[in-house]
Amino acid sequence: MNIQFERVDVSLKKQVIDHMRDAIIDGSFAPGQKLVERELCELFDVSRSLMREALQKLEAEALITIVPHRGPAVAEITLEEARAIYAVRQALEALAGAGCAQHATESDIAALEASLERIAACQGNDDQKALVKAKNDFYRVLLKACGNPIVQEMLTGLNNRITSLRRFSMGQPGRLAHTVKELEAVIDAIRSRDAARASKLCADHVSKAATIALRVMADQQS
């Protein structure tokens, strides 16, 4: 049997996808911005076929939209979509917090503390990429340790859109200091094996972030 298939450089495609994803999440590619394939190919020095595969992957992650006859553009999250995302995130993170209090190992708790230290270290500087990475690391540990693979799968799938929304809340003066205190309390509840308190603290943390982000989004759209 002779099977014909296209050989592609997977690592190169992944690099393109990762860099484009980062550029969308950190706002380098602005919401609503039209993405011209030819310009992207020149920017990343890749073929059009590879770029189209990368765009399809980012469309599947809801980070871009591809409109027939108009081409790709960076996805815009509406106020109603943001409300829905935060509602789902709040419910799932409450479950994750409770599960983590029940299932986390001492190693998991130590990893949460180390991630929180990196989050706290971002206070007083403008390194948003370091902050995003530290927060993603924190939640990666929380989800892995929660003992619920469905919660982990669903929140991981939402993560890119959640990270995009964090720009609205984390950029507000003083918010990071409050975030550190809120996550410290979450870790304390997990360490104490208090599932109910961990659940409530996770839900409260998301609620506070949502209130700020939705207010900023509403002000920008008014």
Side-chain angles (χ1 to χ4, degrees):
M1 181 182 295
N2 183 20
I3 300 177
Q4 299 295 321
F5 63 94
E6 182 183 2
R7 298 178 183 272
V8 296
D9 187 341
V10 177
S11 63
L12 176 59
K13 182 170 71 174
K14 184 178 186 305
Q15 288 179 57
V16 173
I17 292 170
D18 289 347
H19 279 83
M20 286 194 64
R21 183 189 295 115
D22 290 344
I24 292 170
I25 288 173
D26 69 20
S28 297
F29 288 148
Q33 179 179 337
K34 183 175 175 56
L35 300 172
V36 181
E37 276 189 15
R38 175 180 51 78
E39 294 177 356
L40 292 174
C41 291
E42 292 175 357
L43 179 64
F44 288 97
D45 192 22
V46 296
S47 68
R48 181 159 289 189
S49 61
L50 189 150
M51 180 54 66
R52 285 178 178 168
E53 290 180 30
L55 291 171
Q56 288 171 358
K57 177 69 168 68
L58 294 170
E59 183 185 31
E61 296 179 9
L63 289 176
I64 70 167
T65 56
I66 300 178
V67 181
H69 311 300
R70 294 182 61 185
V74 178
E76 297 182 87
I77 299 177
T78 67
L79 196 56
E80 286 306 309
E81 286 173 330
R83 287 196 182 99
I85 290 169
Y86 274 116
V88 172
R89 179 189 166 194
Q90 184 175 29
L92 292 175
E93 283 195 20
L95 288 172
C100 204
Q102 295 169 321
H103 301 289
T105 65
E106 290 302 316
S107 177
D108 293 328
I109 295 172
L112 286 172
E113 292 173 334
S115 295
L116 184 56
E117 286 180 6
R118 291 194 293 274
I119 294 171
C122 293
Q123 296 180 89
N125 64 50
D126 296 323
D127 192 348
Q128 289 297 309
K129 289 185 178 180
L131 177 57
V132 167
K133 185 180 186 308
K135 287 215 74 175
N136 284 342
D137 287 345
F138 181 92
Y139 284 108
R140 190 176 298 112
V141 177
L142 185 77
L143 294 179
K144 184 179 178 182
C146 78
N148 189 326
I150 303 302
V151 168
Q152 181 180 9
E153 178 184 343
M154 294 178 71
L155 268 176
T156 299
L158 273 177
N159 184 61
N160 291 328
R161 304 184 85 191
I162 290 170
T163 303
S164 295
L165 289 171
R166 280 197 184 111
R167 288 187 290 112
F168 295 104
S169 60
M170 297 304 296
Q172 300 307 297
R175 175 56 193 159
L176 184 52
H178 289 294
T179 292
V180 171
K181 290 181 181 178
E182 290 161 18
L183 296 183
E184 282 177 345
V186 169
I187 293 175
D188 183 65
I190 290 170
R191 189 187 297 108
S192 300
R193 305 301 176 184
D194 189 336
R197 185 160 66 96
S199 176
K200 183 180 185 305
L201 289 168
C202 282
D204 288 348
H205 171 65
V206 176
S207 178
K208 290 171 183 175
T211 298
I212 295 170
L214 294 173
R215 185 182 68 239
V216 173
M217 290 183 72
D219 288 346
Q220 290 184 357
Q221 294 178 17
S222 62

